[in-house]
Amino acid sequence: RTPLVIDTDPGIDDALAVLLALASLEVDLQLVTTVHGNVGLPETTENALRVLHLAGRSDVPVAAGARTSLVFPQPERAGHVHGTAGLGGVVLPPSPAAVDPRPAVVALAELLLASEQPVTVAAIGPLTNIALLIGVYPEAAARIGRLVVMGGSATRGGNVTAAAEFNVWADPEAAAAVFGAGLPTVLVGLDVTLPTVLTAEGIARFAAAGPVGDRAAAILQQYVDHARSSYGVDGVVVHDALALTEAIVPGTLTSVRRDVVVDTGHGAGRGQTLVDRRTPSASATAVAVAEDVDSEAAVEFLVSRLCELAAR
Ligand code: BDR
Ligand code: CA
């Protein structure tokens, strides 16, 4: 089993992503690190603890990371999408576990340096913690086996501004540092997440499979309502869960190595990922950009894994 760390800002789709990892025997979730993002750090950390407890896995350590972006504070949170406490208005029972006393970067560095096997890191929030790891513990960052990032957009424009995807927009300086670090990075952006829609029918399947599935469906309800009222779509895009699918089964998405530049200016393009799609890149700092997805298979993977978790 591949050792896995999830760096996350739960967040509705983050919660689904964590549950998907726990449902998947290909990976061994050894650490969750939390970051500011959808809501503030105290909420994302509490939510991470509670989601793990929901799945009976409060043994997985949770270490809290950055409270704010590297340089400029994120302009606003995403409470209108995820609910002010982050889990769509659902209050999960508190976990008996306490937060790990170590800062996220310390916990992550220690795990990377101690692991005998290459570790996959799935980063599904703003990239502040990962940028700090690269800056403070470069020798640990260099040991990351795969870094799967939910972030950016090559062809779809943005979701939080016309130009920018939320996780990159929330800390563009951190994203620039991470994408330029020469790590084995896969970028799972809006190009592949937006076409991958989880429908009400899929949600109903895991809701009926057991209490964990029922709670997961309840957490999703606010996302479903938001999608219907904002975009007129029936179904939800669970961005972070698709990134986890690629972390769990490498190669699920078709990726091409590209040069990616993050717009760190202060104009309308701030947080945009400029992906050079003219030709695949041979540069050492290129990242693999996910460009194609079998959305039906990806949704079926998520739904069936959540059904299995709920039936355990
Ligand atoms: C990303 O932004 C957040 O709101 C989601 O949790 C996801 O990580 C999608 O752009
Ligand atoms: Ca997220």
Side-chain angles (χ1 to χ4, degrees):
R1 297 176 72 191
T2 305
L4 174 70
V5 177
I6 302 182
D7 184 64
T8 176
D9 62 335
I12 292 175
D13 56 331
D14 298 79
L16 264 267
V18 169
L19 293 176
L20 175 60
L22 294 176
S24 298
L25 297 176
E26 296 88 342
V27 290
D28 175 19
L29 181 59
Q30 297 190 350
L31 173 68
V32 171
T33 53
T34 57
V35 66
H36 71 97
N38 288 318
V39 287
L41 185 73
E43 290 80 20
T44 61
T45 305
E46 186 58 35
N47 290 341
L49 286 166
R50 290 184 185 215
V51 168
L52 290 167
H53 178 50
L54 170 70
R57 290 300 310 275
S58 43
D59 58 301
V60 177
V62 174
R67 264 173 199 274
T68 183
S69 313
L70 279 189
V71 188
F72 301 100
Q74 184 184 319
E76 58 179 338
R77 300 287 178 210
H80 59 295
V81 183
H82 295 268
T84 45
L87 294 183
V90 172
V91 181
L92 296 176
S95 169
V99 184
D100 192 294
R102 298 168 297 173
V105 277
V106 175
L108 186 49
E110 286 182 2
L111 187 146
L112 288 165
L113 293 172
S115 180
E116 282 167 14
Q117 273 175 268
V119 177
T120 295
V121 176
I124 55 177
L127 287 157
T128 322
N129 288 340
I130 310 300
L132 288 170
L133 178 82
I134 291 166
V136 181
Y137 297 104
E139 71 289 2
R143 299 198 51 171
I144 293 177
R146 292 178 78 224
L147 175 63
V148 181
V149 172
M150 192 285 130
S153 170
T155 60
R156 293 267 187 158
N159 58 353
V160 62
T161 69
E165 179 283 325
F166 180 84
N167 289 337
V168 177
W169 169 86
D171 195 346
E173 285 74 19
V178 172
F179 300 163
L183 298 177
T185 304
V186 184
L187 214 52
V188 179
L190 300 181
D191 312 279
V192 286
T193 64
L194 288 180
T196 306
V197 177
L198 171 59
T199 61
E201 190 202 346
I203 297 172
R205 271 171 61 199
F206 58 76
V212 175
D214 174 70
R215 289 295 81 198
I219 290 169
L220 276 168
Q221 192 56 48
Q222 163 138 353
Y223 232 32
V224 173
D225 297 343
H226 176 78
R228 191 174 295 130
S229 61
S230 303
Y231 312 115
V233 199
D234 265 317
V236 283
V237 173
V238 281
H239 307 273
D240 294 340
L242 185 64
L244 256 294
T245 302
E246 174 63 28
I248 294 162
V249 184
T252 295
L253 307 172
T254 307
S255 305
V256 181
R257 285 182 67 81
R258 304 284 190 198
D259 293 317
V260 178
V261 169
V262 178
D263 185 339
T264 53
H266 292 273
R270 182 165 171 79
Q272 182 177 10
T273 44
L274 294 162
V275 179
D276 189 345
R277 300 178 70 242
R278 291 173 297 176
T279 174
S281 173
S283 152
T285 55
V287 297
V289 177
E291 296 188 343
D292 202 12
V293 56
D294 179 343
S295 295
E296 215 173 297
V299 170
E300 181 53 34
F301 180 82
L302 171 66
V303 171
S304 58
R305 289 286 166 108
L306 290 178
C307 285
E308 281 168 35
L309 181 72
R312 266 187 209 161

